[in-house]
Amino acid sequence: MKKSKVLAVAGVALLAAGFLAACSSSSSNSASSTYGYVYTADPETLDYVISGKNSTVVATTNGVEGLFDNDKYGNLIPAVASDWKVSKDGLTYTYTIREGVKWYTSEGEEYADVTAKDFVYGLKHAADKQSEALYLVQDSVKGLKDYLDGKTTDFSTVGVKAVDEHTLQYTLSRPEPFWNSKTLYSILYPMNEEFVSSKGDDYGKSTDPTSILYNGPFLLKSITAKSSMEYAKNENYWDKDNVHFDAIKLSYFDGSDQEALERSFTDGAYSMARLYPTSSNFAKVEEKYKDNIFVTPIGTSTAGAGVNIDRQSYNYTSKTTDEQKSSTKKALLNKDFRQALNFAIDRTAFTAQANGEEFASNAVRNLFTKPDFVSSGEKTFGDLVTEKISTYGDEWKDINFADGQDGLHNVEKAKAEFAKAKTALEADGVQFPIHLDIPVSQTSKLTVARVQSLKQSIESALGAENVIIDVQQITEDEYFNVTYYAASAAAEDWDISTAVGWAPDYEDPSSYLDIFKSTDSEHTKTFNGYDNPENPAVTTVGLKDYDKLLDEAAAETSDSKTRYEKYAAAQAWLTDSSLFMPISSNNGAAVVISRTKPFTETYGQSGNKQPASYYKYLEPQDKVVTTKEYQEAREKWLKEKAESNAKAQKDLESHVE
């Protein structure tokens, strides 16, 4: 993400740039009217309903909004919906569409009212165009899966309807207490059918802001590939008083010059910038901004290393024989071998490439699902996983899965698991060393440094006579084409990839864990290199067992405690499988300096409206934020957040019919 998103992370784009924090710009005379930022991947499309990629989110999320927003405490607040009700059985959600919300062209001309039927058409468009994000809703909205499977061709049988112009209703297949949080994701945003039809194949054209309509706080004015995206405040926006910048300019950043962020901040072009303690000029920066540097809280997105269980392309490889290819495939299908890699990764060293040794641990993550994403009584989700995974084997005992410390790195465990794997693999004719190709964009100094760190920690723990990490430095376009933008599993040209990450779409553990379900081909190709659930490799690694655990968890809709325990069992399986090896958070935990008022931005654990890419509510200030100011604002925010969240939870009862 996502985010969220194929790689939500805030996605691979942010991965490649080094988990960039929001950067805003300021005029020389006052707290600026222009917000400057960096983006790292051009969107493939502006069709926000069919895309699941963070690059589209970054381009469109400030221009288009759905039923709800997040406030600065993470509560859902009405946006296009002014009110809502849910039936007692939890199956029917009815929304009142706010009067006076309009569609506008990129030039700010009024086009039409936003009505309930725009939400109905948006979902139909997503279904007919086979949206990448259908996984989010296809099993939620009654009748949608049958429509997608061709069992019915009549979209009116799908559980979404416009009761009248200002009344929208969804009927669900089963209760989802977290349903409203799903509406923050763009597949459930509205679209004007007349406008889409008028544009034909040009609708959502990636370089053309006039190819979509806007109902949000900003209007997209221009896109220049690998250069910039520019926005202007929507002066007719219904909630314009909460928009504090008159313009946004996003500048393309490929990660080749990390120090450019601080320079632009110092020059007044950015009002927030990430700092890299490992950069050559950091000592001078630290001296200059010694009273202003702070570390942001760790975010919900997770980045790590994916394992390709059925690699088919070898255009970027150091392997010289078919025997080496075969040996690598067999090794990656062996769970003990994957676990050896998992325990061998020095996550602190990896994150230190961006944060330096002092702040490295702040960004470390040990579970795919953020450990405190949800809680069951006094126990966090991470606590539940710890209980479940302890039954898998001695290697998982006494491991701390909490954020901010390297609970998985253990050289002795890595060696022990590798020894078991090597015995089995040699009996199967595998020859060592195993060569593992890992691609990296050669222009991103940070990404190269991280991958080199990964190589060093794995080869040091397991021995280069056993495992060799072959770093494939390629152009940025090549890198994206064989990872993030790969058209199919066959195009995923790697053995291990750090171009994978995820941010949750809604507030339930399923938002993380469902993407590894064997039937979710859009995501399995990106994370594990296959897009056919009947692929023999799927059976070999046992993913059908994981599917069953997810199905059992999803079936529990009335008791959140039991539901979370069942999802914790699925997370325990995923962790034990080591098919994905979490390393760090892909947002937050950044070393920054800022000229924006701390904690004025939106806050959320899921959905598209994340502070790194959504600028409504954010307020500028003239002076650089001091470390003390930030800490005091954070303490105040945490107290207010607890009170606000408790009140919001209580208010939910008033919406039950």
Side-chain angles (χ1 to χ4, degrees):
M1 129 232 6
K2 358 145 50 140
K3 325 41 214 62
S4 359
K5 311 105 203 122
V6 172
L7 302 174
V9 252
V12 71
L14 293 184
L15 265 163
F19 311 159
L20 294 173
C23 305
S24 55
S25 87
S26 142
S27 67
S28 57
N29 298 321
S30 65
S32 174
S33 60
T34 300
Y35 185 92
Y37 185 43
V38 293
Y39 77 102
T40 55
D42 291 318
E44 288 183 308
T45 179
L46 296 181
D47 190 337
Y48 48 87
V49 162
I50 68 168
S51 176
K53 293 183 172 63
N54 188 66
S55 51
T56 296
V57 171
V58 169
T60 63
T61 193
N62 287 283
V64 187
E65 68 181 10
L67 296 170
F68 290 95
D69 257 352
N70 279 322
D71 67 11
K72 68 178 182 178
Y73 303 115
N75 301 313
L76 288 175
I77 55 174
V80 177
S82 61
D83 197 7
W84 63 281
K85 292 288 185 181
V86 58
S87 59
K88 287 184 179 180
D89 62 8
L91 294 176
T92 304
Y93 283 75
T94 305
Y95 302 92
T96 301
I97 303 303
R98 187 183 301 276
E99 295 191 22
V101 179
K102 307 282 187 179
W103 287 115
Y104 298 94
T105 68
S106 62
E107 297 303 316
E109 297 177 353
E110 182 180 325
Y111 187 86
D113 290 335
V114 176
T115 67
K117 68 179 181 179
D118 294 337
F119 288 87
V120 178
Y121 177 71
L123 187 57
K124 184 177 188 299
H125 179 80
D128 292 343
K129 296 293 184 179
Q130 290 294 300
S131 169
E132 293 175 343
L134 283 168
Y135 68 91
L136 186 70
V137 294
Q138 63 185 12
D139 295 321
S140 300
V141 179
K142 186 176 181 180
L144 180 56
K145 191 67 165 61
D146 285 344
Y147 182 82
L148 293 170
D149 292 342
K151 293 179 180 179
T152 176
T153 57
D154 183 1
F155 193 76
S156 67
T157 63
V158 177
V160 57
K161 67 177 181 179
V163 178
D164 55 43
E165 278 202 354
H166 295 286
T167 308
L168 172 70
Q169 192 171 87
Y170 289 97
T171 302
L172 306 186
S173 301
R174 57 193 176 197
E176 290 187 0
F178 47 86
W179 168 256
N180 278 340
S181 67
K182 284 190 174 184
T183 69
L184 290 175
Y185 198 65
S186 53
I187 192 173
L188 293 173
Y189 285 4
M191 300 180 80
N192 182 280
E193 183 176 8
E194 179 183 81
F195 182 83
V196 175
S197 298
S198 72
K199 288 294 183 179
D201 292 340
D202 287 335
Y203 178 78
K205 188 175 180 181
S206 63
T207 57
D208 184 6
T210 70
S211 67
I212 65 171
L213 291 177
Y214 305 85
N215 69 338
F218 293 92
L219 306 171
L220 181 58
K221 306 298 288 185
S222 68
I223 297 181
T224 304
K226 293 187 177 181
S227 177
S228 66
M229 291 190 284
E230 298 189 31
Y231 307 74
K233 180 179 179 179
N234 181 357
E235 295 294 345
N236 296 305
Y237 177 56
W238 69 272
D239 195 25
K240 65 180 180 181
D241 289 346
N242 279 314
V243 183
H244 304 289
F245 289 93
D246 293 330
I248 302 168
K249 181 174 181 179
L250 307 182
S251 301
Y252 182 73
F253 181 72
D254 65 5
S256 61
D257 184 4
Q258 297 173 354
E259 297 170 3
L261 299 175
E262 178 273 321
R263 289 199 304 271
S264 294
F265 176 86
T266 298
D267 292 343
Y270 296 162
S271 61
M272 183 184 289
R274 178 159 193 165
L275 303 180
Y276 296 93
T278 57
S279 63
S280 60
N281 75 331
F282 184 72
K284 292 182 179 179
V285 174
E286 188 175 31
E287 181 179 354
K288 182 172 184 177
Y289 293 107
K290 60 183 178 180
D291 296 324
N292 308 100
I293 297 172
F294 57 89
V295 182
T296 62
I298 193 168
T300 55
S301 71
T302 302
V307 175
N308 194 331
I309 62 174
D310 187 27
R311 183 178 180 182
Q312 300 172 54
S313 297
Y314 292 90
N315 296 312
Y316 304 99
T317 184
S318 296
K319 298 178 181 65
T320 57
T321 66
D322 289 340
E323 190 172 54
Q324 288 180 340
K325 296 175 184 177
S326 175
S327 291
T328 296
K329 275 195 173 186
K330 289 179 179 179
L332 291 176
L333 290 175
N334 182 288
K335 185 171 73 170
D336 291 326
F337 181 81
R338 298 193 303 271
Q339 287 182 351
L341 297 177
N342 204 356
F343 288 127
I345 296 173
D346 186 338
R347 289 159 174 79
T348 305
F350 185 95
T351 56
Q353 305 309 311
N355 280 17
E357 293 184 5
E358 181 181 356
F359 305 111
S361 63
N362 291 63
V364 173
R365 174 150 297 154
N366 300 283
L367 284 179
F368 183 59
T369 307
K370 190 174 187 289
D372 59 356
F373 184 60
V374 295
S375 296
S376 177
E378 297 297 317
K379 294 180 180 180
T380 67
F381 187 75
D383 294 332
L384 298 177
V385 174
T386 300
E387 293 175 359
K388 299 290 185 181
I389 202 170
S390 63
T391 65
Y392 275 78
D394 290 342
E395 66 269 29
W396 296 111
K397 291 182 179 178
D398 302 319
I399 289 181
N400 184 355
F401 290 108
D403 282 338
Q405 50 78 49
D406 200 340
L408 286 173
H409 181 224
N410 189 307
V411 173
E412 293 306 312
K413 288 185 177 183
K415 290 180 182 295
E417 295 308 310
F418 180 79
K420 289 191 290 185
K422 189 170 187 179
T423 298
L425 291 170
E426 284 183 329
D428 197 22
V430 168
Q431 292 195 353
F432 291 83
I434 300 298
H435 284 265
L436 299 173
D437 292 312
I438 181 168
V440 62
S441 171
Q442 60 193 15
T443 58
S444 175
K445 293 180 180 179
L446 175 58
T447 311
V448 172
R450 282 176 165 160
V451 169
Q452 292 290 354
S453 169
L454 191 87
K455 172 182 172 69
Q456 195 280 329
S457 63
I458 291 176
E459 291 182 0
S460 175
L462 303 181
E465 71 277 11
N466 292 312
V467 179
I468 294 177
I469 305 296
D470 292 313
V471 179
Q472 306 297 324
Q473 293 198 37
I474 55 182
T475 68
E476 183 178 72
D477 287 342
E478 290 172 324
Y479 176 66
F480 280 148
N481 288 339
V482 301
T483 56
Y484 189 48
Y485 287 132
S488 65
E492 299 282 353
D493 196 356
W494 47 272
D495 296 314
I496 301 291
S497 172
T498 56
V500 288
W502 188 254
D505 300 312
Y506 54 93
E507 295 193 17
D508 185 72
S510 59
S511 185
Y512 283 98
L513 299 171
D514 280 359
I515 67 164
F516 285 99
K517 199 168 187 177
S518 68
T519 53
D520 188 356
S521 60
E522 180 59 40
H523 297 111
T524 61
K525 78 174 177 66
T526 304
F527 282 83
N528 292 125
Y530 74 93
D531 50 16
N532 178 4
E534 302 309 314
N535 187 314
V538 173
T539 302
T540 301
V541 299
L543 273 161
K544 297 298 184 181
D545 294 330
Y546 181 70
D547 291 349
K548 291 178 182 177
L549 290 170
L550 290 177
D551 290 341
E552 290 174 5
E556 179 52 67
T557 60
S558 59
D559 185 339
S560 62
K561 179 178 182 294
T562 302
R563 181 181 178 87
Y564 294 163
E565 287 175 351
K566 288 181 179 292
Y567 274 114
Q571 173 66 79
W573 188 97
L574 183 64
T575 298
D576 179 66
S577 78
S578 295
L579 288 166
F580 176 81
M581 294 167 275
I583 298 177
S584 66
S585 172
N586 190 28
N587 60 350
V591 183
V592 300
I593 45 180
S594 172
R595 273 190 296 266
T596 58
K597 292 183 180 179
F599 300 99
T600 57
E601 69 270 28
T602 186
Y603 171 79
Q605 291 201 108
S606 61
N608 288 0
K609 306 299 185 181
Q610 297 293 309
S613 56
Y614 188 54
Y615 314 123
K616 181 181 176 180
Y617 305 114
L618 183 64
E619 298 180 31
Q621 71 176 45
D622 292 312
K623 296 181 179 180
V624 180
V625 177
T626 67
T627 308
K628 182 180 179 181
E629 282 177 333
Y630 179 83
Q631 291 172 341
E632 290 176 346
R634 175 166 169 73
E635 290 174 7
K636 180 175 181 289
W637 176 80
L638 285 171
K639 180 181 179 181
E640 292 174 348
K641 180 178 181 297
E643 296 170 350
S644 180
N645 292 167
K647 182 178 183 299
Q649 187 63 35
K650 187 176 181 180
D651 287 347
L652 286 176
E653 298 175 5
S654 67
H655 292 279
V656 179
E657 292 181 320

